[in-house]
Amino acid sequence: MRLLIRLLCLAVVIGTLGGCGFKDIDKRFFVVGTGIDWSGNKDKPYRITLQLAIPSPKVESGASKTQYEIIDAPSIAEGIRMLKSYVDKELDFGHCKMFLIGHTLADKDIRPVIDWMSRRRDIQSVANLAVGEPDAETVLKVRATSELYPGNALYLTFGSDGTESSYTYVETLSGLNRRLAEKGLDPALAFIRNDNRTSYIVNQIALMDKQKIKMMLSPTETQLFNQLSKHFTKASMHGMFKGTPIVIAINSLQSSFRIKQEQDETIIVMRIRMKVVFEEAPSGVYNASWEAFENELSRDYEKVSMALLEKIRRAGIDPFGFGLRYRAMHNGQGSWEQWQELYPQARFQVHAHVKVEGTGLIK
Amino acid sequence: MNRYFFYNFACVSFMNLMLFVPYVLIQHRYDGTVMSLVIAPVVGTVLLYMYTSAMSRFPGMGMPDIFRERYPRWFSSMIIGGFAIMWWLSSVFVIVAYAILINRFFNPDANTFVILFMLLLACGYAATRSSLTVMFVLEILLLLNAPFILFILVKMLTDTQFNWDAVHVAANYVVNMPNLSALAAATYIFTGYISMSLYNRLMPPNFQYKYRYIYPVFGFAVLLATFFIPIGLHGTEAVGQYVYIWSVTADSLIMQYGFIERLLFLFLIVFLNLTLVFTMTAWHQAMEFVKSCLPGGKPEVDNHRIPVSNYVIIAVFIVFTLAYMFLVNEKENVRYASYWLILRLFVEILLVVWIFVLSRRRMDRT
């Protein structure tokens, strides 16, 4: 009797195995990059570019093989379904870490794209997003000569495994989703250009409102933005001291802000402390008084950050989360509406404290 | 033996970290959840103290034994049968939701019924064992999974994306009146003590419940985590969009140098274990309740030969669970679960007060 029951259980387990929908790895196409562009055609507005990895026995630079599939479709999900009939294997987004949105589409509306991505269960919430210039297709088609595995050049640029650049702004799907919905915290995306056929430049940020791009930051502003928003703090900075150019490397940087209300004025006070060493400096700097340098650098820093903050505010966006902080500090339902009135008139104050730690290896 | 009480408590708390409790709490984040979070530990602690002190006056007796001692057979059977259904339902919602979750995240092509049936077979088999075995299984599985749960929680709290401003914004809504549905969900975290309804049979004579102050603290910490961690990681607005909020929260973190990069899979496996353990103990209790309504001798806690009635009752449970799955869809399951949470709050208060009164009478008599 007991044996019979056990055998029966085993039979049931084995019998249901056939019901599994598992597909072997060699029957799958791993998507390593997805680009979504605006096609310009009203009926089929989305141009979807998929970069598919082709397994290759060789692991060496430039040996990665990819296949591209491009389609214009009335919606993204339909396009993907249609693309399945173009290829012989099952499409799998489970390893796709890079999603590019074309510049023209990002100028119109990115919400349908994000909505589609968040609904799919196999797209990771930690996938990186960026805006491609002039369009996602061109950027995806760059064949980086340094690439080891299909699609890994772009991924390394954004992950913290490979290059750590102070110009790269990394945004994940769940992070972007949060910023798209949150009152008082606006989204931003990195901006990728291809300079020629073999590499990328990622040194700009597109600041957005809840729907589309509002303004672009220049590379210098991008670096400053990354520092102020605590996204990436290891960076370098230029300054002038009595006519001689100096370059300093920032070892550590802490920034914080608070919102003060004095009489009928709202002041956003931003405090930045940084520890720096000289990278390029006039000789003899070791014996000179560092305090003068520190003051000069602090004032410079205050001036440029103030200009950036003002510029971002004029565009009517808030990627730093000032509004969220105001909502956190002020109770009640009306605080968000209050903030929307206060923000355009708010005044900025930046206090920077630069501390020189050394002059490098030479005096 | 106090640790077995703790395991029961921790199992229910951890289980509810992920499914309906956070969903309900976050749904009501602007209208009363935060106040409910403040009130729930008070309610939970009072009930816990009442129930444990009442139960310690009935050494070696479970809730069914107490009722049967006092009331006529037809009456006690009816009451105990009602409780058995409540216990059975508690795990039905969870395991059905988990079967759907597996279907969504692991394998969308597989049949949900097949997945559910597999899960039910595993839980059902474990639930038919003796009470003592079930307790040991609970201990082992909880000890194996607890480090991973702590790892996930710490990882989430220390992540750079965690935004304390958003937590602060949500906490500001503390002034709003508590909401019944959120309160019911929040008190569920503290419900683990109710397992003593059955497992009190295992406790030796002269057993004292010690360190009872741990439970409110532990429960409150879990409660704060279940509500505020998703808000810290998704913000106050986006958090309301997600259906499986904790799964998505786990997915938004990355284990850079883990074997598997996506934290989601670690999370799903840990909570699969918890779901199975939870269903096992809930069904075991429901099964013992049903058995105590049937004619028979004194209940055994460590029987070597499993009575056939165990298999029959569990088989009935499995059939009804599959039928439930057939009748409801994903959305209805969540809705019924939140109704059930409210019903449970009242049934639980009724049970605790009832047993408490009976225990006082018993003291007066002796």
Side-chain angles (χ1 to χ4, degrees):
Chain A
M1 180 64 192
R2 294 185 70 91
L3 189 73
L4 196 69
I5 290 174
R6 284 180 194 180
L7 282 178
L8 202 69
C9 287
L10 193 70
V12 169
V13 172
I14 293 175
T16 49
L17 273 181
C20 290
F22 184 74
K23 286 206 168 57
D24 274 337
I25 195 160
D26 55 343
K27 309 281 191 311
R28 286 166 186 260
F29 248 139
F30 289 104
V31 181
V32 289
T34 306
I36 294 159
D37 286 308
W38 180 259
S39 65
N41 179 351
K42 268 266 161 13
D43 298 331
K44 293 180 172 180
Y46 297 106
R47 173 167 299 162
I48 299 153
T49 313
L50 295 185
Q51 188 181 15
L52 306 172
I54 297 188
S56 143
K58 276 195 289 185
V59 177
E60 59 184 50
S61 291
S64 82
K65 282 191 208 146
T66 47
Q67 174 183 339
Y68 293 95
E69 290 297 337
I70 300 164
I71 194 170
D72 286 1
S75 79
I76 301 163
E78 279 173 71
I80 300 288
R81 212 159 288 284
M82 208 104 80
L83 268 182
K84 279 192 181 179
S85 60
Y86 287 35
V87 293
D88 57 337
K89 304 185 183 79
E90 178 76 10
L91 291 177
D92 189 325
F93 283 90
H95 290 262
C96 185
K97 282 295 198 54
M98 273 320 298
F99 286 84
L100 297 180
I101 299 170
H103 192 174
T104 21
L105 182 59
D107 271 339
K108 291 183 193 311
D109 194 354
I110 63 163
R111 287 174 303 179
V113 182
I114 307 302
D115 185 73
W116 168 75
M117 285 176 68
S118 323
R119 264 180 218 285
R120 297 249 339 177
R121 52 129 213 154
D122 58 345
I123 292 179
Q124 311 189 14
S125 296
V126 289
N128 297 317
L129 281 119
V131 174
E133 161 76 21
D135 52 37
E137 187 187 333
T138 326
V139 174
L140 276 182
K141 283 199 169 162
V142 169
R143 305 296 303 264
T145 40
S146 62
E147 195 165 74
L148 280 183
Y149 304 105
N152 99 327
L154 258 185
Y155 173 50
L156 279 183
T157 313
F158 281 88
S160 58
D161 276 349
T163 177
E164 291 198 23
S165 157
S166 57
Y167 295 100
T168 314
Y169 179 87
V170 182
E171 186 60 285
T172 60
L173 175 60
S174 72
L176 185 69
N177 230 330
R178 156 174 43 191
R179 282 167 177 266
L180 280 173
E182 192 74 303
K183 292 173 187 156
L185 185 64
D186 285 335
L189 281 179
F191 198 77
I192 306 184
R193 278 178 298 152
N194 71 316
D195 57 340
N196 46 42
R197 299 297 294 164
T198 55
S199 71
Y200 317 97
I201 310 174
V202 190
N203 61 1
Q204 279 186 288
I205 290 178
L207 296 181
M208 323 176 93
D209 63 0
K210 301 294 179 204
Q211 180 180 355
K212 57 181 193 293
I213 295 180
K214 288 291 264 194
M215 68 183 288
M216 298 289 304
L217 297 183
S218 71
T220 353
E221 286 169 336
T222 296
Q223 200 185 25
L224 194 61
F225 177 85
N226 275 339
Q227 291 166 9
L228 293 180
S229 63
K230 289 187 267 191
H231 235 86
F232 193 89
T233 53
K234 287 198 183 69
S236 65
M237 175 183 144
H238 304 264
M240 293 289 275
F241 186 72
K242 291 182 182 148
T244 35
I246 45 178
V247 179
I248 52 170
I250 300 171
N251 277 344
S252 75
L253 181 142
Q254 288 165 333
S255 81
S256 62
F257 65 85
R258 62 199 177 89
I259 298 167
K260 265 201 313 199
Q261 276 176 310
E262 278 174 3
Q263 285 109 44
D264 48 345
E265 197 180 28
T266 309
I267 307 170
I268 301 170
V269 186
M270 201 140 199
R271 240 170 237 291
I272 301 120
R273 306 182 154 273
M274 54 179 129
K275 293 179 177 160
V276 304
V277 291
F278 285 109
E279 279 198 336
E280 276 176 38
S283 55
V285 71
Y286 188 78
N287 293 321
S289 154
W290 288 353
E291 228 164 82
F293 285 102
E294 286 173 355
N295 288 339
E296 188 74 19
L297 289 169
S298 303
R299 262 203 305 283
D300 273 1
Y301 198 86
E302 283 168 13
K303 213 161 59 196
V304 286
S305 4
M306 193 87 111
L308 178 66
L309 290 173
E310 294 277 355
K311 187 175 167 189
I312 291 173
R313 201 260 312 268
R314 265 203 305 281
I317 42 181
D318 181 9
F320 292 101
F322 297 132
L324 189 63
R325 177 68 55 86
Y326 185 85
R327 285 174 65 208
M329 282 164 34
H330 294 80
N331 235 332
Q333 306 284 353
S335 60
W336 171 237
E337 284 73 28
Q338 273 172 33
W339 176 249
Q340 281 169 313
E341 284 171 23
L342 289 176
Y343 187 46
Q345 278 115 42
R347 197 154 64 80
F348 288 104
Q349 262 179 23
V350 183
H351 298 295
H353 300 277
V354 178
K355 192 163 164 41
V356 176
E357 286 196 314
T359 57
L361 293 182
I362 54 168
K363 287 189 178 177
Chain B
M1 295 303 269
N2 265 297
R3 70 174 194 277
Y4 288 100
F5 179 46
F6 181 75
Y7 296 142
N8 276 302
F9 187 87
C11 177
V12 176
S13 303
F14 280 148
M15 179 66 244
N16 289 303
L17 200 64
M18 61 161 287
L19 275 177
F20 301 115
V21 170
Y23 181 82
V24 174
L25 292 180
I26 284 167
Q27 234 38 51
H28 296 283
R29 64 193 180 283
Y30 293 136
D31 52 331
T33 286
V34 191
M35 198 64 210
S36 308
L37 294 190
V38 177
I39 295 174
V42 180
V43 178
T45 312
V46 169
L47 291 177
L48 184 140
Y49 269 77
M50 278 169 73
Y51 203 63
T52 47
S53 59
M55 273 320 211
S56 61
R57 288 183 209 281
F58 296 105
M61 286 170 86
M63 178 267 281
D65 311 327
I66 298 170
F67 281 127
R68 284 194 62 177
E69 195 185 75
R70 254 131 251 247
Y71 299 109
R73 183 174 195 89
W74 65 270
F75 183 70
S76 65
S77 297
M78 204 176 71
I79 297 294
I80 297 167
F83 284 126
I85 292 176
M86 285 301 285
W87 254 261
W88 168 72
L89 267 178
S90 73
S91 59
V92 167
F93 293 123
V94 170
I95 201 147
V96 166
Y98 205 90
I100 297 173
L101 199 68
I102 290 184
N103 179 274
R104 285 283 173 290
F105 282 100
F106 281 130
N107 194 344
D109 301 329
N111 188 337
T112 330
F113 278 98
V114 176
I115 297 172
L116 182 66
F117 187 60
M118 289 290 145
L119 295 178
L120 291 178
L121 273 188
C123 306
Y125 174 75
T128 52
R129 304 296 98 188
S130 70
S131 301
L132 204 62
T133 314
V134 168
M135 224 24 11
F136 291 151
V137 173
L138 174 66
E139 174 174 29
I140 294 166
L141 281 177
L142 212 56
L143 285 182
L144 286 177
N145 285 302
F148 292 106
I149 299 172
L150 290 181
F151 170 76
I152 291 170
L153 291 182
V154 169
K155 186 154 177 59
M156 286 175 172
L157 269 175
T158 53
D159 196 81
T160 46
Q161 292 176 47
F162 197 88
N163 190 330
W164 287 98
D165 279 344
V167 171
H168 200 149
V169 171
N172 275 341
Y173 287 86
V174 73
V175 287
N176 294 15
M177 285 293 285
N179 168 305
L180 180 63
S181 145
L183 185 67
T187 47
Y188 194 37
I189 298 274
F190 296 87
T191 294
Y193 67 85
I194 209 83
S195 304
M196 283 299 120
S197 302
L198 181 72
Y199 297 123
N200 202 43
R201 281 180 183 172
L202 297 169
M203 297 302 175
N206 303 323
F207 173 72
Q208 290 285 322
Y209 287 98
K210 289 195 205 121
Y211 314 114
R212 276 186 291 184
Y213 54 85
I214 292 178
Y215 301 103
V217 177
F218 179 81
F220 191 50
V222 171
L223 203 51
L224 290 183
T226 192
F227 180 62
F228 285 115
I229 289 183
I231 288 185
L233 284 168
H234 293 298
T236 56
E237 293 295 322
V239 78
Q241 304 171 352
Y242 298 111
V243 184
Y244 300 103
I245 177 67
W246 266 81
S247 310
V248 177
T249 310
D251 197 23
S252 50
L253 298 182
I254 195 165
M255 291 191 293
Q256 190 100 47
Y257 301 110
F259 283 112
I260 319 165
E261 220 176 23
R262 289 175 86 171
L263 191 62
L264 174 71
F265 291 116
L266 179 70
F267 176 86
L268 285 179
I269 287 169
V270 167
F271 279 92
L272 172 64
N273 291 342
L274 278 181
T275 310
L276 293 178
V277 172
F278 177 78
T279 310
M280 173 192 75
T281 72
W283 280 23
H284 179 74
Q285 293 174 54
M287 180 193 80
E288 288 289 336
F289 291 169
V290 173
K291 259 167 70 182
S292 68
C293 300
L294 305 172
K298 201 181 170 303
E300 280 185 74
V301 292
D302 189 19
N303 35 3
H304 289 286
R305 276 196 61 82
I306 304 298
V308 183
S309 57
N310 282 17
Y311 292 113
V312 175
I313 296 168
I314 292 293
V316 173
F317 284 179
I318 291 181
V319 169
F320 275 101
T321 310
L322 289 171
Y324 173 83
M325 175 88 183
F326 184 72
L327 291 177
V328 302
N329 64 20
E330 190 183 342
K331 193 174 147 194
E332 285 165 347
N333 187 38
V334 175
R335 206 175 71 221
Y336 294 150
S338 56
Y339 293 153
W340 179 83
L341 280 174
I342 299 174
L343 176 67
R344 175 212 58 90
L345 179 62
F346 292 110
V347 170
E348 192 179 316
I349 293 175
L350 173 79
L351 173 63
V352 170
V353 172
W354 196 339
I355 296 280
F356 188 73
V357 171
L358 289 182
S359 79
R360 296 290 122 172
R361 284 211 199 130
R362 182 192 179 94
M363 193 173 60
D364 293 344
R365 235 182 335 178
T366 51

